[in-house]
Structure formats: C-alpha cells, structure tokens
Amino acid sequence: MPFDVSPELSVVVPVYNEEGNVAPFLAALSRQQGVSLEVILSDGASSDRTVHIAREECGKLPFPLTVIEGAKGRGGQLNRGVEAARAATLLFLHIDSAFEDPLALRKGVDALEEALPAGERVAGRFALRFGFPGSAPLPYRFYGAKAALDRPGCTHGDQGFLIRRDFFAQIGPYDTSLPLMEDTFLAERVRREGRWLLLPASITTSPRRFLAEGLLPRQTLNAILMNLAHIRQLSLIRCLQASYRSQDATARLKLKPFLVALHQAICGLDAGERRRLWWRTGAYVRGNGWQIAFFLDVVTGGIREEGRGGRVLHLYDRFLARLIDNRGGDLAAALLTWLWFRLTLLAARDRG
C-alpha cells in the first residue's frame, strides 16, 4: 500500500530478539484511529526472526513501516530511529506496550499540541498500567500510580515519550555511552529544560521482566541503579550492566554476583570518594523518603486524582520532608542505606 502523505506522528521502537511480539505489537497499533502515523522498528542485530517477521508485515498494515538495522544498544537504536523518522512529532515506545483506547494516540497528540502555543518546552508521557487480568497486585499499582507523578525519577520509557522533534533536538540525542537507563537520563533532561505533561490516556506495559526475574531482586537493582545515576557514578552503573539482559535471555535474577561486584568496585575507590559516594547516596535516599508516604496512600486508597498524592504524602511534604532536609537527615539516611546494603549483601551471599 503506497503512503504518499507525510505522517503526523513517527513511532520509534527499539527491538532485539522479539520475534514473538512484533506482529501482535503492530496489530495493536493498527487499531489506533484518527491519527496519521508511521512506525520505525530499529533492530539491534537480532539473532532470531524479528526482522524477517517485521518485513513480512509491511504490506498488511494501515501505516508505513520502516525496519532499520544496526548495532545493539537501545540509545543508538533510538537515535537511528529518529534519523529515519519523517514526522514533526515523535513517540518512543517499547514493543511490549499497548493501548486499550483506540484514540489514545489522537488524544496524546492533541494534548501535546494544546500545550505548545504557550511556547513551552513540553513532552508527554502516558499514565502507566501493568498487563494483569483483573486488578494488578499492590506493588504494580504503586509503580503505576507513581509514574503519574511529576517528580524526579518517576518517568521512564515504558510510559512512552511523546515529544516534538525540535525539542528532542535540543535535549537529545539519547546517550549512547550509557549501558542502560538512557530513557531515564533523557526524562530528567526534559524535566530540567522544560516540563512533563501527563497525557489523557493510559498505556499498558507487560510485567514480563518482573515475572521472569522476580520483583524484589529486579527492583532492588533498579533502586541502586537510580541512585548511582542520580549521583553520577556511571562507572559503578557499569558493574550492574549485565543485570539487564535482553528479554529473550531473562531468567530468575540472583543478586549475589551483582552486589559482590558493586561492593568490590566501591572498595576500589579511594577513601574520600567512598565518603562522597555514601554522603550523596544519603541525600538521594532522604530526598526520596516521600515514596513511603505515597505507598501508604496507595495502600489505603487515599489517591483521589491521578498524578497527585493523597493525604499521607501531603502531610509528609508539608512537615516531615522539611524536618529532615538538612545534613543530619542526609547523614541518617546514608547510615541506614549503608547498613541496608551490607545486610542485603550478606543475605545474598548466604542464599548463594
């Protein structure tokens, strides 16, 4: 089918060994209505039939599909996808994401356009849901609710990033020097240079990684990675790079090898750098204490409006956050985090 008109929206999707998900993903996008789109699948040297299946789908879709190939690495794959895109508006998606609302993309593009006349630098992300039949387990409801908040560290690639090409040119491209978390770094650049808009539609993402690896070990490493990213300890992030295996290679995640490697790398720092590491970690952890209050809001059903906290978070922000926002609070958080890390490392060693 020929497509002569330039699309309104370019959907850029990095893929690697996703032969079982390519056709369902494209079929789901085919159900979107009211928006002219193109899809760019940016493959990272897949060793399965991902590229073959994608190209077989080209003639069956109501939108143009471009498949590009290159080296593995999501940052580079996303950047190559942008180079191939033709639209003035970009949407970065994960291939295990889907929209239940057939007008989700139309609503997203319209909401972004409404924010632009004010001259703002703005990007959009969708409200996040996890793909469970019925109600999602409590931890996943918490992660979904947290993703709607406009706070540092809450915005990630599985929400979909909707952004104008000119704004992306100002804050991008994706950092290809990073072994992982390139979407998190881009999200925080958006927050520094402009603002995030919660779009009036939701995106459903698969919990497949959490189910395969185990929620607790995956989120333990994710919390460590977020801290290291925030305090700019990129060399230590690389100690944990192997923990993020491609989806086709995921299996039950064992913390021991990663925590041991991280501990050894920290011990290899000089004494001054170790002190700065733990001090900055304390400040980061203290600054994220609000998550405990927000979790209590989720547990008690205290959230009345998406994108906002409930009464417990309000009280925390008004009183406790101010009380501990000082060097004493940073020190206490640093000591507690150091103790947590040591105990978690010992427990992981005991379990082998």
Side-chain angles (χ1 to χ4, degrees):
M1 180 186 301
F3 298 96
D4 297 326
V5 180
S6 294
E8 182 180 10
L9 178 66
S10 292
V11 182
V12 179
V13 188
V15 293
Y16 176 77
N17 285 358
E18 293 282 4
E19 63 180 10
N21 291 307
V22 170
F25 171 79
L26 294 172
L29 272 187
S30 298
R31 292 191 285 273
Q32 288 297 302
Q33 301 172 11
V35 61
S36 169
L37 61 89
E38 68 171 352
V39 176
I40 297 98
L41 294 183
S42 183
D43 184 72
S46 290
S47 58
D48 64 0
R49 300 178 67 249
T50 296
V51 172
H52 176 76
I53 293 172
R55 287 182 171 148
E56 280 189 333
E57 294 294 314
C58 284
K60 309 174 186 178
L61 302 169
F63 50 74
L65 171 65
T66 301
V67 182
I68 58 177
E69 299 180 67
K72 184 181 178 183
R74 284 199 309 181
Q77 290 173 239
L78 289 162
N79 291 337
R80 290 193 294 273
V82 172
E83 292 174 359
R86 295 181 294 153
T89 302
L90 307 170
L91 174 61
F92 300 105
L93 277 188
H94 291 180
I95 200 166
D96 59 357
S97 298
F99 300 97
E100 293 185 9
D101 184 352
L103 294 174
L105 297 187
R106 179 70 268 160
K107 293 175 180 177
V109 171
D110 288 345
L112 188 67
E113 289 296 326
E114 288 175 9
L116 291 175
E120 289 188 274
R121 296 177 173 182
V122 60
R125 86 279 192 211
F126 294 93
L128 183 66
R129 304 286 182 269
F130 286 89
F132 286 98
S135 179
L138 176 60
Y140 296 92
R141 297 203 306 273
F142 167 69
Y143 299 137
K146 189 176 77 166
L149 298 178
D150 189 12
R151 293 184 178 226
C154 290
T155 307
H156 303 286
D158 50 8
Q159 294 179 257
F161 290 173
L162 185 69
I163 186 170
R164 295 284 292 183
R165 181 188 290 273
D166 54 358
F167 188 23
F168 179 79
Q170 296 172 32
I171 62 162
Y174 283 94
D175 192 338
T176 57
S177 69
L178 297 171
L180 64 170
M181 298 184 68
E182 67 292 318
D183 53 353
T184 302
F185 277 76
L186 185 79
E188 295 312 310
R189 291 204 297 276
V190 169
R191 186 166 278 110
R192 288 194 301 269
E193 301 295 330
R195 72 177 179 94
W196 277 106
L197 173 70
L198 183 63
L199 300 171
S202 63
I203 188 170
T204 301
T205 190
S206 170
R208 57 181 181 163
R209 181 175 292 276
F210 295 122
L211 296 177
E213 296 181 339
L215 181 62
L216 181 59
R218 177 71 271 158
Q219 288 299 74
T220 298
L221 288 179
N222 282 351
I224 295 172
L225 286 166
M226 287 295 294
N227 170 60
L228 295 176
H230 178 81
I231 65 176
R232 305 300 296 182
Q233 284 285 349
L234 302 186
S235 64
L236 297 182
I237 287 180
R238 291 184 173 86
C239 295
L240 305 177
Q241 178 177 358
S243 73
Y244 245 93
R245 293 166 286 192
S246 59
Q247 185 60 46
D248 65 307
T250 52
R252 194 71 181 178
L253 191 60
K254 295 184 178 180
L255 288 176
K256 178 181 175 180
F258 304 109
L259 296 184
V260 169
L262 179 60
H263 176 64
Q264 291 172 345
I266 292 174
C267 290
L269 301 173
D270 63 58
E273 187 63 22
R274 285 199 302 275
R275 285 194 297 270
R276 286 190 291 274
L277 166 70
W278 288 111
W279 185 264
R280 293 169 182 166
T281 293
Y284 174 79
V285 171
R286 186 267 307 158
N288 278 274
W290 63 267
Q291 295 197 41
I292 299 173
F294 186 66
F295 181 78
L296 293 175
D297 278 331
V298 175
V299 170
T300 59
I303 299 174
R304 297 290 179 260
E305 182 180 347
E306 192 168 50
R308 301 179 65 88
R311 181 172 178 79
V312 180
L313 181 58
H314 173 72
L315 292 173
Y316 177 90
D317 287 339
R318 187 174 180 182
F319 298 109
L320 186 56
R322 298 178 183 181
L323 182 64
I324 63 175
D325 186 8
N326 50 54
R327 293 176 66 84
D330 292 350
L331 177 60
L335 291 173
L336 288 172
T337 306
W338 179 86
L339 180 61
W340 169 84
F341 180 72
R342 298 291 298 185
L343 292 175
T344 303
L345 178 61
L346 288 173
R349 282 173 167 166
D350 289 343
R351 287 194 294 267

